[in-house]
Amino acid sequence: MAVDRSELLAKVDWERGEVSADIFIDEDIYRLELERLFSRAWLFLAHDTMIPKPGDFLNTYMGGDPVLVARQRDGSVKAYLNACRHRGMKVCRAEDGNTKHFMCTYHGWTYDIAGNLVNVPNEHDAYHGELPKEEFGLKQVAQIDSYKGLIFATFDADAPPLLEYLGDSVYYIDAWVDHVPGGIEVLPGVVKWTIHGNWKIAAEQFAGDGYHVNVTHMSSLAQISNTDLYTGPSPAGFQFSSRLGHGYSGIYNQPSRFEDGAADYRTQRMQTAIDRLGPERANTVGNFTVFPNLSGLPGQSNLRVWHPKGPNTFQIWSWTVVDRDAPEEVKRAQQLSSTLTEGAAGTVEVDDGENWDLMGQLLQDGYQTRLLKWNYQMGLGHETDDHATLPGRINEMYFGEGPQRAFYRRWLEFMTSEKWPHCDDFDDDWSKKVNR
Ligand code: FES
Ligand code: FE
């Protein structure tokens, strides 16, 4: 291993709340992330509504690896590397579509939608009919599964089942995928853009950083809403930290700021959500990260993945999420408001991008800046593992850094473990509370 294990252990002190800045820029740490984190963790691929029909496919990434996700004739979903078994060329360069086959554009090897190699030019003359085609299908993911329409996969055959991986976070995931009987729909049209920073900075922010909103978004929020968010105190709400690295932060009774035109529908939807989920989950608007790189803002109808592209570059892939059974005009209103605020040029989104870019530049150019330890001590020691109603570790405040501490603790476990890092292998009580 290019990175010494004891050195790595010294970079994250989740008990004290300190993280070394160089984990956000070091090339060796990044390569280790691709191997130990992104080739093991369950990663979000798609929502069912993105590929509804047999033959529907889309291109995505698992870590740095391009992956095709395709709906099969029997309704199941398969995912495999978008890399030809002949010379490793991409077999499909379209973002999405519907097809029966993928033909590699280098020499023409052709695969069906299950990833089987089905046609090879000159198979009977140049290869003398001796090529064992059945051995050269596209490399499949080790496991694929879905939770309420969210499709995930892992390249690790030893990873625990998806539900176990999501653990206590499903209680909060339900609040945005299952708040109405018809569930959610991801609207067509992924928006992609690039940030010159480290993917973890964005993922940790969505897990737990409500603290930046008052300052980072002061001008954009003041210009487009009457919210009193930036009056000073932490807004009433809570934070959830999972022992498994997931995080959620929610504000209670936050009025919808950006969905003009959908107000009547939202009132009715809120009542439905309270009936299905209870007031605590129905009444919060917030931000979440499913470890490691799926995030969203359910209140702003937004879902996104942080795709790593190097130690100091990541791509944001962003979708608008609506209620599947909502009237068309409501869906359009949600799409418009989501794009105006959280789109690539959205009024709120550009504030975050500017921070992440500039932080990345400091680490890229500097030496002393890489030696810093960043502070993650907010709310340390003020969380409970025994909340009366909410699972996980709970901070009864919207501002705090518990979700970030949990994120980096789990990151460290993945990065320092030769095998799948079961929580039980690490000594503490918190793991016993998962899945209660
Ligand atoms: Fe795909 Fe040669 S690389 S056919
Ligand atoms: Fe922000």
Side-chain angles (χ1 to χ4, degrees):
M1 178 167 79
V3 188
D4 180 74
R5 186 171 186 273
S6 56
E7 272 178 37
L8 204 49
L9 283 168
K11 292 187 187 298
V12 173
D13 188 339
W14 50 268
E15 284 178 299
R16 187 176 150 74
E18 285 189 343
V19 174
S20 295
D22 62 349
I23 72 163
F24 302 101
I25 194 70
D26 186 274
E27 177 73 34
D28 290 335
I29 288 178
Y30 175 72
R31 297 310 305 182
L32 195 65
E33 277 180 348
L34 295 183
E35 174 192 337
R36 293 203 164 164
L37 179 58
F38 288 103
S39 281
R40 284 178 180 167
W42 281 93
L43 302 173
F44 174 75
L45 299 181
H47 184 263
D48 271 338
T49 56
M50 294 174 174
I51 44 169
K53 298 190 299 295
D56 283 353
F57 72 89
L58 58 80
N59 249 311
T60 186
Y61 285 87
M62 292 173 69
D65 293 310
V67 169
L68 279 162
V69 188
R71 179 77 61 187
Q72 306 297 298
R73 274 184 274 279
D74 65 359
S76 65
V77 177
K78 285 189 183 291
Y80 32 78
L81 275 187
N82 184 0
C84 183
R85 293 295 305 280
H86 184 225
R87 290 290 184 280
M89 174 64 176
K90 271 193 166 184
V91 299
C92 173
R93 287 186 267 177
E95 289 193 7
D96 53 36
N98 184 281
T99 192
K100 289 191 171 67
H101 297 109
F102 299 108
M103 188 191 80
C104 177
T105 52
Y106 196 169
H107 311 91
W109 282 26
T110 299
Y111 303 84
D112 66 14
I113 56 166
N116 301 308
L117 178 61
V118 292
N119 193 47
V120 172
N122 305 97
E123 180 182 355
H124 297 291
D125 51 9
Y127 282 102
H128 305 281
E130 293 167 356
L131 180 71
K133 293 208 295 289
E134 65 285 356
E135 292 176 22
F136 289 92
L138 298 172
K139 179 176 171 141
Q140 304 279 333
V141 297
Q143 302 184 60
I144 184 166
D145 200 355
S146 68
Y147 179 72
K148 295 190 177 177
L150 302 168
I151 304 164
F152 293 79
T154 168
F155 276 112
D156 189 345
D158 295 329
L162 175 63
L163 255 188
E164 193 177 314
Y165 178 84
L166 296 174
D168 43 8
S169 73
V170 297
Y171 184 83
Y172 304 93
I173 292 174
D174 284 352
W176 58 275
V177 300
D178 201 17
H179 55 287
V180 285
I184 59 170
E185 172 185 353
V186 177
L187 294 183
V190 55
V191 182
K192 305 174 181 177
W193 68 100
T194 299
I195 301 284
H196 296 292
N198 187 269
W199 69 273
K200 296 188 289 299
I201 291 172
E204 65 145 73
Q205 180 183 300
F206 271 64
D209 193 332
Y211 186 48
H212 79 284
V213 174
N214 285 350
V215 177
T216 290
H217 301 303
M218 187 184 294
S219 60
S220 56
L221 292 181
Q223 282 163 17
I224 60 172
S225 80
N226 296 318
T227 179
D228 58 358
L229 258 185
Y230 24 80
T231 51
S234 176
F238 71 90
Q239 291 189 304
F240 152 74
S241 310
S242 169
R243 178 65 184 83
L244 300 167
H246 320 298
Y248 174 81
S249 305
I251 307 177
Y252 288 129
N253 301 314
Q254 180 68 12
S256 165
R257 300 193 299 265
F258 309 121
E259 294 182 12
D260 295 345
D264 290 348
Y265 175 78
R266 288 181 59 81
T267 308
Q268 166 204 330
R269 177 177 81 157
M270 176 62 82
Q271 194 50 54
T272 307
I274 290 172
D275 294 344
R276 290 173 74 83
L277 304 164
E280 261 168 333
R281 283 181 292 172
N283 271 339
T284 52
V285 166
N287 40 277
F288 69 86
T289 290
V290 176
F291 186 85
N293 66 334
L294 168 67
S295 293
L297 299 155
Q300 271 83 268
S301 312
N302 183 262
L303 183 70
R304 72 251 318 271
V305 171
W306 320 105
H307 284 301
K309 296 292 173 191
N312 203 32
T313 308
F314 65 94
Q315 266 187 11
I316 303 176
W317 289 24
S318 169
W319 298 268
T320 298
V321 179
V322 298
D323 298 348
R324 193 188 310 206
D325 295 338
E328 269 318 298
E329 65 270 20
V330 171
K331 293 182 182 179
R332 293 284 86 80
Q334 289 186 312
Q335 185 173 33
L336 186 63
S337 64
S338 175
T339 306
L340 288 174
T341 54
E342 310 298 340
T347 49
V348 176
E349 189 71 42
V350 292
D351 298 331
D352 294 310
E354 195 177 335
N355 285 344
W356 300 331
D357 256 323
L358 187 49
M359 292 157 77
Q361 191 182 329
L362 296 186
L363 292 173
Q364 181 69 46
D365 295 347
Y367 176 74
Q368 291 295 332
T369 43
R370 295 188 184 202
L371 301 179
L372 289 176
K373 286 191 183 292
W374 292 357
N375 182 296
Y376 288 80
Q377 294 177 332
M378 189 189 294
L380 191 62
H382 296 275
E383 299 161 293
T384 175
D385 294 333
D386 292 302
H387 192 274
T389 52
L390 298 170
R393 179 165 287 183
I394 300 297
N395 173 28
E396 292 184 305
M397 245 185 233
Y398 179 61
F399 290 170
E401 290 173 343
Q404 293 95 317
R405 289 188 290 274
F407 179 94
Y408 288 113
R409 179 183 188 183
R410 194 67 183 131
W411 177 87
L412 189 67
E413 289 170 354
F414 269 89
M415 293 288 282
T416 54
S417 299
E418 300 283 340
K419 295 185 303 206
W420 179 273
H422 289 284
C423 289
D424 290 348
D425 298 342
F426 302 91
D427 54 339
D428 80 279
D429 307 332
W430 198 8
S431 57
K432 301 191 184 76
K433 299 183 190 301
V434 170
N435 291 328
R436 66 183 177 180

